[in-house]
Amino acid sequence: LPINRQAGPPAVIERWENRYEQHKLPTRRILLAEDDESTIQHLSAILSPLGFEDIRIAHTGAELLKIARQTRPDRIILDMQVPDLDGWQILSILNTDKDLRDIPVFCLTSLFITGDEERYAKAGVEQYCCKPSCIDKMLGWIIEYTQIK
């Protein structure tokens, strides 16, 4: 995927565009659970040049679980408000599935409630943030986690 400069805020695109070669990773599989097309396009345009050439998209919780079982992604980015299953239900299912529980999950949310930090920690979530202002945090996590593995 070429960089789509219309996919997101120009400052974020430009900032990461300058780091692509430095942080280019071996090809990795990532599963993005998101129902908003503009967010999907934005994240795909940023992730692809970083070496995530196999970006799978799930628009619902059921799709996420099906694709995760079929492809065993290296990372999951989970919008906590996808249709059909609550993000907490999805995390519970991922955590109890012996084949999926060790996949690192980054949660995106559009609403943060006091006490959620503890709830995310108990759910085994690696990182979380409120969108749309957290793209840099998410990308830093992906790069750091991938370089460790």
Side-chain angles (χ1 to χ4, degrees), residues 5-23:
R5 295 186 141 290
Q6 304 303 315
V12 172
I13 298 290
E14 187 173 318
R15 189 166 43 251
W16 283 96
E17 186 176 53
N18 294 331
R19 299 179 192 173
Y20 283 148
E21 286 309 310
Q22 178 185 353
H23 293 293

Side-chain angles (χ1 to χ4, degrees), residues 35 90 131:
D35 60 328
I90 295 168
K131 50 183 182 175

Side-chain angles (χ1 to χ4, degrees), residues 8-67:
V12 172
I13 298 290
E14 187 173 318
R15 189 166 43 251
W16 283 96
E17 186 176 53
N18 294 331
R19 299 179 192 173
Y20 283 148
E21 286 309 310
Q22 178 185 353
H23 293 293
K24 186 136 172 110
L25 307 169
T27 300
R28 303 281 186 172
R29 291 179 308 276
I30 197 159
L31 175 51
L32 171 60
E34 175 64 66
D35 60 328
D36 179 68
E37 282 302 320
S38 65
T39 303
I40 291 169
Q41 289 176 0
H42 176 80
L43 293 176
S44 295
I46 293 171
L47 292 170
S48 184
L50 287 172
F52 287 93
E53 295 173 10
D54 188 0
I55 302 170
R56 303 293 172 102
I57 309 298
H59 294 90
T60 67
E63 278 184 313
L64 175 139
L65 296 169
K66 179 180 177 183
I67 293 170

Side-chain angles (χ1 to χ4, degrees), residues 84-128:
D84 81 346
L85 287 174
D86 174 278
W88 299 108
Q89 291 173 305
I90 295 168
L91 289 170
S92 176
I93 293 167
L94 290 171
N95 285 329
T96 57
D97 186 312
K98 65 178 175 56
D99 295 324
L100 303 177
R101 65 178 162 225
D102 61 335
I103 300 172
V105 178
F106 188 100
C107 292
L108 300 174
T109 182
S110 55
L111 88 118
F112 187 79
I113 301 167
T114 303
D116 275 354
E117 287 180 1
E118 186 177 327
R119 195 171 179 195
Y120 280 112
K122 285 182 179 177
V125 172
E126 292 287 333
Q127 288 284 334
Y128 63 91

Side-chain angles (χ1 to χ4, degrees), residues 74-91:
D74 296 300
R75 308 279 178 281
I76 294 174
I77 298 174
L78 170 63
D79 175 4
M80 293 298 284
Q81 284 105 16
V82 291
D84 81 346
L85 287 174
D86 174 278
W88 299 108
Q89 291 173 305
I90 295 168
L91 289 170

